[in-house]
Every structure is written in C-alpha cells, then in structure tokens.
Amino acid sequence: MRDIRANCKRTVPWVLLCIAADILSIGLIPLNLFVLDMPEWITIVFSFLIIAATVILWIRSTRYKAGKAVLSVINVIAVLLTLFGAYCNPYWNNLLFRKSYDTTSKAYDVVISSQEAKADLDFAMKYLKKCHPDLRYGFTDEMRIKYEQTVEKLLNSESVTVNDLTADIESIFSMLSDGHTAAICYPPKNYYLKEGYARYQAGDIIVSVNGISIEDILRQNKALYSYESESYALINLAYDLTTTKGLDYLGIEIGDKIVYTYETVSGERADFAFYPADFVTYSEYVAYDNLNSDSSNTGGVRNDTFVYYRIDEENSLAILTLNSCKYNDEYIQCLKDMFTEVKSKNIQNVCVDLRQNSGGNSLVANEFIKYLDVDQYGDLGMRWRLGFFEISSSNNVIMNEKYENLTFCGNVYVLSSYFTYSSAMAFVQYIKDNHLGTIIGEPPGNAPNCGGEVAMFKCPNSGIVFQVSTKYFQRIDRDNTDLLIQPDIVCNKTEAVDKLMELLRTKRP
C-alpha cells in the first residue's frame, strides 16, 4: 500500500503537467488566430515540454501502463496539432480572424533604416513562401534572384521610405501574377484629387498623365502591381494616380501642377490641370463629393447599402444590385423579398448587377442559385496550401437546396465589368459555366483560374499590410481555356443596362 501511495505521489504531478501542457499548447492556436501575434517557435517550446513531461512520467512511475499509454497518445496528438497549427496553418499570425485590427502603416514618406526594411522584407517573404499554393516547393529561381537583388539594394540605400519598401516587396509578389497576393501601404494620411470621384461616377477615365498614356505608365511600373487582367490593373493604377500616396509610389511628382487627360463615355478627350491645392484630405474629399448623402438614383437607398433591388413591371424585370459579396442576413432577406415579389407579379426576367462588386464571400452566388430551377450544378476546383501539405478537389458538383415555394423558372442575366472581382467573378462563373443565364458587359477583372482565400499580415517595422492567397481555384468549365470569363454580350459597362433592355425587347411576343 505504501508503494502504491508513493507511486501516486510521483505520478500525479506529471500527469497534471501533461494535461495542462496539452491544453495550453492547443490553446495557442485560437489565441493566435483571434487575439495576438506570436513566434512559431513558441509551439516548439510547448511541444518539448509535453514530450519531456511524458518521458519523465514513464521513468518515475512503474505502474498504470495502460493509463500512461493513453495519456502518451493524447500528448502526441497535442504536439502534432500544436506544430501543425503554427507551421502548416496558413492563418498563423494572420489578421483577418480578429475582431479589431489596425491596417494603418507609417506615413508613406517616412524613412526607416535599411535593417528595418530588410527585416520587413524577410517577414513578407516568410509568409509568402509558407502560404502561397504555387510556392509549396519554394521560390522559383527568378524570385530568388529578385529577392537577393532587393536585399542588396536595401542594404546599400542611404534611406528607404515606406512607399519604397512597399514597391520592393510588391516587385517580388507581382512575379506570381496573382491579383490576390499583394503588398499595400495604408498611410495614416493621404490626399485625394477632390474631383476624382465625380469624374469616376460620370464614367470619365484617365487616359494619360502629363502626356504619358496610362498604358505606358503601367508598362513602366508593371512590377508594382499584382494582377491577372491588365484592365483591372489599369483600374488600380488610375486610382493611385489620383492620390498623393499613389503618385509617390509611381514616382510622379505633382510639382506646380499635374495634367490629366480624361476621356468621357462619349469618347471625347480633354486636358485638365490640377494643382497641389486640388489634393485634399479624406474628410474634405467626402464633403466635396457629398458622399454621405442619400443617393438620388437608387430609390432613396443610401450609398452604403450594398444590396437592393427594383422591379420593372413594364419589362417584366427584377434587377438586383449587389455591390459587395456580403453573405449576411441583409442579403438573404433581400433575395427572399425580391423573389417573393417576382413570384407575386409573375416577373419573367431577373438580372444581377455586379459591375461595382469587388468580391467578398462566394456563398452569395450559392444562395442566389437556390432560387433557380436547377437540381445540381458544377463547383470550382481547388488546391489549398497547408504548409508542407496540400488538399485538392476537382470536378465538384453541388446539390442545389432549392427554395421550392419561390423557384424561379424565367431568364437570368448578370451584368459584369472589369471591376467585378474575386467572389463577384465567381458569381459570374457559376452562371456562365453552368449555363444558368446570360452575361452582359465586360469580362470580370480576374481570371477564373486564380488564387484566393487570402491570409493578411502586417510588417512589424513599416506597418505595410500584405495579403497572400492560400488557395488556387480552378474553373468550373475545365475545357474553357480563356484567360478571362467572356460575356455572352460584350459591351462597355455603362451600356450594359441598355443592352439588356434591347435584348428583352427582342424577346417580347
């Protein structure tokens, strides 16, 4: 009896230590995902603690072999989960799962030391290599050479601004031609061309700056943008050309004045000179363009409403405007309300306007298809990078959980533009490749075979934010080799509604 008690005294503390270490080590994963950053090596420390406690448990206790064996298996599982959570989990130190996070960098013209810049570059390269589905076996030779050249440049530089470092990181990221993998500087203060929004709303586009075409500017700065479609890259470039941060990023000085050539929707071109005073703070920009007011062309719907619809009974048409792929109660209820009214008024045509939608959650497309008369439809293929491992799937089929009481059997149309991106592009793809409707407008801004499902990180010294694709998606229609999804009716985005109305008129009895 005395031996049993002595053995218990030697055993119980180590058993409790093993259990506590298991709980704490596994708890590191949600703590990191939802609360704070921590180095990966901390999981090695906890794993070593678990292993050491297990070994000592077996040495100090000569009894309870079955119990020790069970606990040892649990300890091994805890160690594997902990190490997997740090070294194979693409979201380790990622910002996106946290309730609040700050993406603000240092000011774009702030100078940091060469050593700080190199540390941030290495930080970005570490997570690029760890997470991106195309880099499972490491960097390509070209990327490795570019990295070495960039390090040499940084270490030999007398000064490095945050914008300079953003360009250096992006010059490596852009070699992947993945629009979802990019480095971005979000400075605490930026200045905006006060007339930029009004001209964008009018459909005017910048075609040149100081006499240099926007295509030539992109060609000279191709390495500074990650993209699959040049049309989408031009959208991002045009935006940068209307902010002081963007102009600095591109190496363009405002000086006494800067001259933009705009082209209107009617094809007319005109030059406009702008001066430093025409670039204003964000609050002044918002006030100048009256961005907080109610929109006059959406039936009283505010500008910040991402989804709404209208019914055109004369043309037997319902148009759903979806400006962001937010899969939430507001979207679900809006769809239900629309299809309820569609059914009650016997509407024969439903259109989804995605021309201003840059993405979000792809489940918005699946929810929409639940109202269509289709039993099953094809899904995207996927490769998901998990550190040393990869999960893949292809030739997927989704069984449609139809809303039988509101099933729509009429015609479906989708309006797209070069700004239609990511999950919005996937929406277009679901309709196009499953032959569920007609696409009108411009090709979406990114390729159907593309990266996505990003993880987001922040460099410790400069505050530069970068995002990295963790998945590679494959087009539903594997036989279609087009770089972009081609609309059934190709036209300028501003003409898409008119083309739709023309099509409806031709179908009238």
Side-chain angles (χ1 to χ4, degrees):
M1 182 65 69
R2 187 176 303 165
D3 289 343
I4 295 174
R5 288 177 180 173
N7 202 283
C8 284
K9 288 182 179 180
R10 291 195 299 269
T11 303
V12 170
W14 296 104
V15 170
L16 294 176
L17 179 60
C18 286
I19 294 173
D22 289 345
I23 294 172
L24 289 174
S25 63
I26 294 175
L28 292 175
I29 301 170
L31 183 64
N32 176 266
L33 289 177
F34 299 109
V35 182
L36 53 85
D37 288 354
M38 59 183 75
E40 286 90 340
W41 57 257
I42 197 169
T43 60
I44 296 178
V45 172
F46 274 84
S47 298
F48 179 79
L49 177 63
I50 294 171
I51 293 169
T54 304
V55 171
I56 294 174
L57 173 64
W58 278 94
I59 293 174
R60 292 183 64 84
S61 175
T62 59
R63 301 171 64 87
Y64 316 116
K65 291 185 179 180
K68 290 189 295 183
V70 171
L71 183 58
S72 297
V73 170
I74 294 173
N75 291 347
V76 170
I77 293 173
V79 167
L80 293 176
L81 286 176
T82 302
L83 295 177
F84 185 89
Y87 290 94
C88 297
N89 170 21
Y91 302 108
W92 184 268
N93 285 340
N94 158 73
L95 300 177
L96 293 178
F97 292 102
R98 297 172 189 176
K99 287 186 177 180
S100 62
Y101 56 86
D102 183 16
T103 58
T104 305
S105 69
K106 292 182 178 179
Y108 62 84
D109 54 354
V110 162
V111 175
I112 61 175
S113 72
S114 296
Q115 292 299 328
E116 288 176 322
K118 181 182 181 300
D120 278 5
L121 173 67
D122 288 341
F123 181 84
M125 294 304 105
K126 169 185 173 180
Y127 286 103
L128 177 66
K129 182 179 178 181
K130 174 186 176 183
C131 300
H132 200 279
D134 287 345
L135 299 179
R136 183 181 173 194
Y137 301 106
F139 291 134
T140 64
D141 291 340
E142 293 81 2
M143 294 179 72
R144 193 175 299 108
I145 291 170
K146 180 63 178 177
Y147 165 76
E148 292 169 356
Q149 292 173 341
T150 303
V151 169
E152 183 179 3
K153 171 192 167 187
L154 289 175
L155 295 180
N156 290 329
S157 298
E158 294 183 2
S159 63
V160 181
T161 68
V162 172
N163 244 358
D164 292 337
L165 180 58
T166 305
D168 287 332
I169 296 173
E170 178 60 24
S171 68
I172 300 175
F173 278 32
S174 65
M175 297 177 77
L176 292 167
S177 299
D178 174 6
H180 283 82
T181 298
I184 309 165
C185 164
Y186 296 107
K189 181 174 285 189
N190 197 3
Y191 293 87
Y192 303 80
L193 180 63
K194 63 184 179 181
E195 291 188 14
Y197 181 79
R199 292 194 175 278
Y200 171 78
Q201 286 295 96
D204 298 348
I205 59 173
I206 298 173
V207 294
S208 67
V209 177
N210 292 337
I212 304 174
S213 73
I214 191 170
E215 290 82 7
D216 283 342
I217 296 174
L218 178 61
R219 197 171 298 114
Q220 295 164 9
N221 296 278
K222 185 176 181 180
L224 302 186
Y225 294 92
S226 294
Y227 60 91
E228 297 132 48
S229 163
E230 185 173 298
S231 299
Y232 190 79
L234 289 171
I235 291 174
N236 289 329
L237 174 61
Y239 173 78
D240 278 346
L241 290 170
T242 60
T243 72
T244 54
K245 186 267 287 187
L247 289 168
D248 180 80
Y249 183 64
L250 292 163
I252 299 174
E253 295 184 359
I254 298 175
D256 294 332
K257 68 177 180 179
I258 186 169
V259 179
Y260 294 87
T261 303
Y262 278 94
E263 181 177 287
T264 66
V265 291
S266 62
E268 299 176 352
R269 294 191 176 189
D271 292 340
F272 296 89
F274 295 103
Y275 304 87
D278 292 316
F279 290 83
V280 297
T281 65
Y282 184 71
S283 59
E284 293 171 322
Y285 174 75
V286 168
Y288 180 86
D289 289 300
N290 202 25
L291 295 182
N292 286 330
S293 66
D294 288 350
S295 174
S296 60
N297 61 355
T298 59
V301 179
R302 291 185 62 83
N303 287 330
D304 57 2
T305 299
F306 76 95
V307 60
Y308 53 90
Y309 73 92
R310 65 181 178 88
I311 300 292
D312 178 358
E313 292 190 65
E314 180 181 351
N315 291 292
S316 191
L317 172 67
I319 297 183
L320 176 76
T321 300
L322 182 61
N323 290 329
S324 180
C325 289
K326 297 179 182 179
Y327 184 68
N328 57 17
D329 291 341
E330 182 179 356
Y331 172 72
I332 293 170
Q333 187 61 49
C334 184
L335 271 188
K336 183 177 180 181
D337 292 343
M338 183 186 75
F339 279 105
T340 298
E341 194 168 349
V342 163
K343 183 175 182 178
S344 67
K345 294 181 177 178
N346 195 29
I347 299 297
Q348 297 302 306
N349 304 284
V350 169
C351 174
V352 184
D353 187 351
L354 300 174
R355 290 175 295 170
Q356 298 297 323
N357 193 320
S358 61
N361 192 328
S362 61
L363 288 177
V364 295
N366 304 106
E367 183 69 18
F368 177 83
I369 295 173
K370 289 180 181 179
Y371 289 93
L372 305 185
D373 188 21
V374 54
D375 295 325
Q376 63 183 39
Y377 57 96
D379 194 13
L380 310 171
M382 178 270 292
R383 291 190 288 112
W384 189 15
R385 172 80 184 280
L386 296 173
F388 313 110
F389 309 100
E390 183 178 272
I391 297 174
S392 62
S393 63
S394 60
N395 299 320
N396 300 324
V397 173
I398 296 177
M399 304 307 297
N400 194 24
E401 299 176 2
K402 292 187 289 186
Y403 295 121
E404 298 289 354
N405 59 328
L406 291 176
T407 300
F408 176 70
C409 300
N411 304 307
V412 175
Y413 304 92
V414 176
L415 309 184
S416 72
S417 75
Y418 296 127
F419 193 78
T420 305
Y421 197 79
S422 192
S423 292
M425 177 279 297
F427 198 129
V428 175
Q429 184 182 172
Y430 276 117
I431 301 301
K432 172 78 174 183
D433 286 4
N434 287 293
H435 310 290
L436 301 178
T438 302
I439 313 301
I440 303 173
E442 300 163 343
N446 68 307
N449 294 304
C450 64
E453 198 74 35
V454 301
M456 182 182 289
F457 308 90
K458 186 174 182 177
C459 292
N461 298 311
S462 61
I464 294 169
V465 171
F466 62 93
Q467 61 182 42
V468 180
S469 293
T470 66
K471 292 181 180 178
Y472 180 82
F473 295 100
Q474 297 169 309
R475 183 164 186 169
I476 297 170
D477 182 358
R478 304 289 193 275
D479 296 328
N480 193 318
T481 58
D482 293 340
L483 174 62
L484 302 176
I485 298 174
Q486 297 301 317
D488 301 292
I489 300 174
V490 180
C491 64
N492 187 286
K493 67 177 182 180
T494 59
E495 302 171 344
V497 174
D498 291 337
K499 291 292 183 181
L500 171 62
M501 294 305 180
E502 288 177 17
L503 184 60
L504 295 182
R505 284 194 290 271
T506 62
K507 290 189 175 184
R508 287 179 185 172

